[in-house]
Amino acid sequence: QVQLVESGGGLVQTGDSLRLSCATSGGAFAFLGWFRQAPGKEREYAAVIIWNDGYIDYADSVKGRFTISRDDAKNTVYLQMNSLKPEDTAIYYCAAANWGRNYSGRSVAATYDYWGQGTQVTVSS
């Protein structure tokens, strides 16, 4: 049974940093992504990492501030978030795509097969 478990969210101030973790189990994936969803808004792509070669991509809204990485030994993906802004406030989800999924759809939520429960990030001004 595949499980994705996020952790690391919290309440911080503008300019602070947080590191989110996504512990995976029960499967091997082609790529893993981070998405976020603010109240009243659609789920938004943030970043993705290809598991076997480490290729990385970011949404323009987080590029230069967020860093995605993985720890193969722990089957865990991280999202280091620096210089946080109030507009980063959202529930953050990690998602995993099975082998065979098209990487060109990495920014589309429907591409992914598994989702975590989400972790709340709140940035106060």
Side-chain angles (χ1 to χ4, degrees):
Q1 182 181 358
V2 173
Q3 282 192 313
L4 306 177
V5 180
E6 302 100 332
S7 60
L11 172 63
V12 297
Q13 295 184 334
T14 297
D16 284 351
S17 298
L18 277 176
R19 189 178 79 157
L20 306 183
S21 299
C22 174
T24 74
S25 61
F29 312 108
F31 49 96
L32 288 97
W34 284 97
F35 286 74
R36 62 187 184 181
Q37 189 165 17
K41 294 188 176 182
E42 293 188 354
R43 197 163 293 192
E44 176 192 27
Y45 164 74
V48 68
I49 186 166
I50 296 180
W51 195 262
N52 65 350
D53 67 8
Y55 182 81
I56 286 169
D57 181 68
Y58 298 99
D60 288 343
S61 58
V62 307
K63 196 173 295 183
R65 299 188 299 123
F66 291 11
T67 302
I68 189 171
S69 62
R70 75 186 193 281
D71 184 327
D72 293 351
K74 296 181 178 179
N75 290 323
T76 298
V77 175
Y78 303 99
L79 188 66
Q80 177 68 42
M81 306 186 296
N82 298 330
S83 302
L84 283 163
K85 307 173 183 179
E87 51 263 45
D88 294 317
T89 294
I91 300 174
Y92 283 71
Y93 299 90
C94 71
N98 283 327
W99 293 100
R101 292 297 189 190
N102 194 332
Y103 180 72
S104 66
R106 62 191 176 276
S107 65
V108 178
T111 296
Y112 295 81
D113 298 283
Y114 309 100
W115 291 83
Q117 82 288 352
T119 185
Q120 177 71 48
V121 172
T122 303
V123 185
S124 63
S125 57

